[in-house]
Amino acid sequence: MRKFGPPELVSDYSEFGRQQVLRDALQAKPGPSQVFTSPDRRHLFLLLPHERKLLSFLHLPAEVQLLPAPYLDKSWTANLPPVAGVLFPRCGTLSWVLALVWENGRAEVWSPPNSKPNNGWTLLQSVELCNGPRGRVASICCNGEDLVWCEERPSSEAKHLSVSRTSQFNYCICQRSLEVQGQKVTLGGMKIVLHHSPLYNVLSNSHHVFMIPCAIPSLPPILLVYSPLEDRITLSNTSIGIFHSKSLTEGDSDFKKMLSECVAIMNFETFADTYSFAVTESGDLLLIDTNGAVHLLNQSGVLRHIYTFDRSIILETEVKMQLSDKILACAFDTVLYFININTGQLVEKMVLNAAEMFLVKVLEMDGIQLLTKTGIYKIGYCGGDMEFMDDNGKFEPAVLEMVFEEACKYYQRRSLSSSILTVKTLKKEGMFQAPIMLASILYNYQKDGRLKDLKHTELLNTMNAELQSYLSLELLKSELINAAGNATEEYCKDLVDQEISRLLHADIDRENLVYMNSLFRMFPKTVWHSLRNKLQFHQNGEGKVTVRATSDMWKKVLCPLSNGSKENTPNGVNPLFELICHLLYTFKPKWLPGFVQQAQEYSGSSWNVNKKEYCESLPLYKRALSVLSKKHNIGLDRDIEIEILISSGRPQAIIQAIHILISLQQWERVISETRKFSQLSPVITKDIFITLLLEFVKHRHLDPYINELYEICPEDMTVTDILRIILQNLPKAQGDQLPFSCNGDMHLTVGSLKPLLKKVLQNQSKQEENSAFSIYPPSTPRRTSQNPNAETVIVNGVDISVDMPSFE
């Protein structure tokens, strides 16, 4: 069990500018205050609604002397409505800006001081969020560069209907982007996320927006989780968890219609209103309902019950919450409760001697942080092993809940049904006994390496390899923690190797892919050695790479981009194929074309995969080239790019590669590659022949390869086509030299073109002769020319003699 020591003073505000003003502001009465910290934690903000004032305090490093520094003192008159939110949107040129938003929709955007000591806060611009003058911002948050708020819009039907009936759904959830370029602030177009909505409090993390309902009679409190990236809303409740999910692209985002779709699922008698809420540092949502129950809402919408307080404790009491590691601190006035969220047990209860305190992370350190008028305090705790069972040998409810949640995610990914699987249905229907069985096996196997319950012996034998891997991984982690400094690197290599092996045998879902991206980024060399062994990269005697991976391994590597995405990194996460290409380019660049070629061969094999996804996603050679595009070594990039394009076997890619070779003036390889692929597609031959003919017109570098150029001339080319191409692309003559002069070494001569034109005429003669035989009988006499250099062509049954000049 974890025990907590007394609060430890870690800051008396001496490292903050105007510390006395900060102390006085924290003691100000009457009315509650709100504390905010900037994303970089260099600025502390105190909002005093009763005084209509916002104060900022700069957190200076220890080595910097406390000189007069710029601060923000923003006051507003009594005729302005209350402040709806103090936000810190992300922006492109600046890492963040301050947005102060009032209920009437007016917002002021401030830029923070830069590194120069004399530069202060700058008011960039005042903007209006609401489109109409009747709009009122009830609650607002920021999600990256987007502002999301709940706006009240009085309905025009209010004159004809009762106020209680119309006011419940007079809100809508709005979204607008906020862009800052220099000193200019630009608002994007307004998007209505939800129409006809009740009143919601909105909070956000880096990826999702939580919507917590306010207590409204006759309306069930439904928690909403909005994902801007997926454009999807998930409906949840503190009693039954997730019960509906809706993509906003499917149709009208109307709250009433959305509620009617799942009204049969909801049990209105089991709903409890939300009493207090807060977003954790990890991005989850903490909730306390009116029954005293504490819940943790995951970003995906999965909700877990943590603990239940006595209802008498929370009545008419302001609740403040903070989650540090696995310990939840709940402050009711001056009484602090510590709860282990893994076991769901109350660890300790502490009474503090403080008139008012804030649970907020101000300093970069672990543990629970308290902000009071005298300073910032830290409450630390000593670690201990997490107990999964109580003294009677029964599993802790919270641990069982965690196992069931993982089981829900596992079965939901494999379910063909669109209905949402919840922990309640999993327990109630008794369909799956795997979670309880798995928890029992893991506990006993980890404890003494053997299973006490004989009824699980057969399952144990089946899972023995996985359990051994699990135990060895846990042992390695413990050894890494206690290892000396010189041995840490070797332990780290083993740990990364085991993690890569585990991930390659697991399902490549987004969660695992995000984790894999972090491993590739932090330990590239170690991951490369691990993947080289797992995928069995080998180099044969000719220097070519071969990959002897199994079919299952290839299937994971070639997992197509999600939803047929045309982006190389959907939602900022690189797929496994791109990650491997990046490692190959970093450590074995010459192996990359061979790997891409083998990947393309395996992608066309008879696996049980969705071929439509492969067709809709980017080709593998383009996905590999996207890795090269992020590098700067142009000389090396060009060679590898050409190899990847040629090895793809696609006509357009081959044409692109030969065009690159032409730009590099590698004429010998241009001719050889063109001859090699001339039988693959007539499109390749004709495109490259015309391109080379244009080069032949411009300079004399292709003269040694003139015979090879004649050989790749397409049979359907005519003299007229060739002469038209030449005449349209002749370089401008300089001085008295003419493009067709016989003495100008740098100019094209008719003599150079004679063999090509002669061959084309011969081909054309044969084609015309064959067509003429079908019109005239063989006895028809032919006309001949007296010129021995003349070429005879039969066009539409008429002999045409073309006199060619002699160059001998």
Side-chain angles (χ1 to χ4, degrees), residues 129-163:
L129 298 182
C130 304
N131 285 340
R134 301 177 64 189
R136 184 182 71 88
V137 178
S139 177
I140 188 169
C141 67
C142 64
N143 181 259
E145 295 183 353
D146 293 337
L147 301 181
V148 182
W149 69 93
C150 180
E151 179 177 327
E152 182 182 15
R153 293 183 174 182
S155 174
S156 59
E157 301 175 356
K159 300 178 181 179
H160 309 287
L161 301 175
S162 63
V163 177

Side-chain angles (χ1 to χ4, degrees), residues 235-271:
L235 285 72
S236 182
N237 177 261
T238 56
S239 299
I240 62 176
I242 299 176
F243 56 85
H244 190 58
S245 181
K246 181 179 179 62
S247 174
L248 299 182
T249 58
E250 296 176 358
D252 187 22
S253 55
D254 190 287
F255 179 83
K256 295 180 182 179
K257 294 180 181 179
M258 190 167 57
L259 196 63
S260 64
E261 294 174 0
C262 52
V263 66
I265 307 174
M266 298 182 296
N267 182 5
F268 290 86
E269 297 180 358
T270 61
F271 280 81

Side-chain angles (χ1 to χ4, degrees), residues 482-497:
N482 301 320
N486 54 358
T488 303
E489 185 176 355
E490 291 301 321
Y491 281 119
C492 184
K493 289 180 180 179
D494 293 340
L495 181 59
V496 172
D497 183 69

